[in-house]
Amino acid sequence: DHRDLHSFPTRRSSDLWNLSATNCMNNAPYSNDALALAHRSLCGNGSITALVNSVPGAAGWAGVTMRERMSPEAKKVQLTTNRTNFHRREVRFNTGGNSEVQQFASAQRYWLRLVRQGNQFSAYVSSNGTKWFLAYSANVTMNNCIEVGLVLYNQTANSTASAVFSNVIVS
């Protein structure tokens, strides 16, 4: 499921974005993504910020992503949360390669941000959208123009997940 978010820069931060994913589960070796994605193009340096308001029943992983292109095996940098105890970092350094996936404690920080400076990508988390903590950094060689957006995928196979986002800003 892919939706165009070209209205990101003009929408109010209070606007809500709803995503749903059915049977979109990613399994090891994480080389081919199945996900719901709302996206737009970004050329050069920039960032995406969003507050993940809800992931009912922790049925999925919701967050922000930067991808070299829309194909399921594209290089990517991604930061998601299940809105319970965990965040998840995912980085795919090579097209068609396996993603490196690592979970870490969420500490109630559901504001997520990805920042691109050349090929350096940094992921941040916040509890209030003001004070940010570095979650990880990765150097991934990508084209100048990439896709950025909101992402959601299921926690378990043969299921449906939903998520609500607000304060979405692409700059």
Side-chain angles (χ1 to χ4, degrees):
D1 182 18
H2 299 275
R3 298 183 187 130
D4 188 0
L5 292 180
H6 286 285
S7 59
F8 263 164
T10 59
R11 290 184 63 136
R12 296 179 311 272
S13 62
S14 61
D15 287 348
L16 298 178
W17 294 87
N18 298 284
L19 280 181
S20 63
T22 301
N23 301 328
C24 293
M25 186 176 165
N26 293 328
N27 291 319
Y30 305 102
S31 60
N32 196 349
D33 300 330
L35 46 83
L37 180 65
H39 64 95
R40 64 161 290 173
S41 296
L42 172 72
C43 294
N45 297 329
S47 66
I48 180 168
T49 302
L51 170 60
V52 180
N53 296 77
S54 67
V55 183
W61 292 93
V64 292
T65 188
M66 291 186 165
R67 304 177 63 86
E68 188 168 52
R69 59 181 184 267
M70 294 310 305
S71 62
E73 72 285 347
K75 296 177 191 177
K76 70 174 179 179
V77 176
Q78 193 162 285
L79 178 62
T80 58
T81 182
N82 64 2
R83 279 282 315 193
T84 57
N85 300 322
F86 295 104
H87 288 327
R88 183 178 276 184
R89 74 180 277 277
E90 296 183 41
V91 180
R92 183 176 298 123
F93 292 94
N94 300 300
T95 302
N98 298 339
S99 292
E100 292 184 8
V101 178
Q102 180 184 19
Q103 290 183 187
F104 57 97
S106 68
Q108 305 293 313
R109 296 176 178 151
Y110 303 123
W111 286 79
L112 308 178
R113 176 179 285 164
L114 289 176
V115 177
R116 179 188 191 185
Q117 293 288 324
N119 291 321
Q120 183 69 30
F121 295 84
S122 299
Y124 298 89
V125 295
S126 174
S127 60
N128 58 16
T130 303
K131 185 176 182 181
W132 293 90
F133 299 90
L134 179 66
Y136 74 91
S137 291
N139 192 303
V140 183
T141 303
M142 290 196 204
N143 296 329
N144 183 53
C145 293
I146 61 173
E147 296 298 315
V148 301
L150 306 175
V151 63
L152 173 67
Y153 58 93
N154 301 75
Q155 178 78 15
T156 58
N158 303 315
S159 65
T160 298
S162 63
V164 177
F165 301 83
S166 66
N167 298 280
V168 178
I169 298 171
V170 175
S171 62

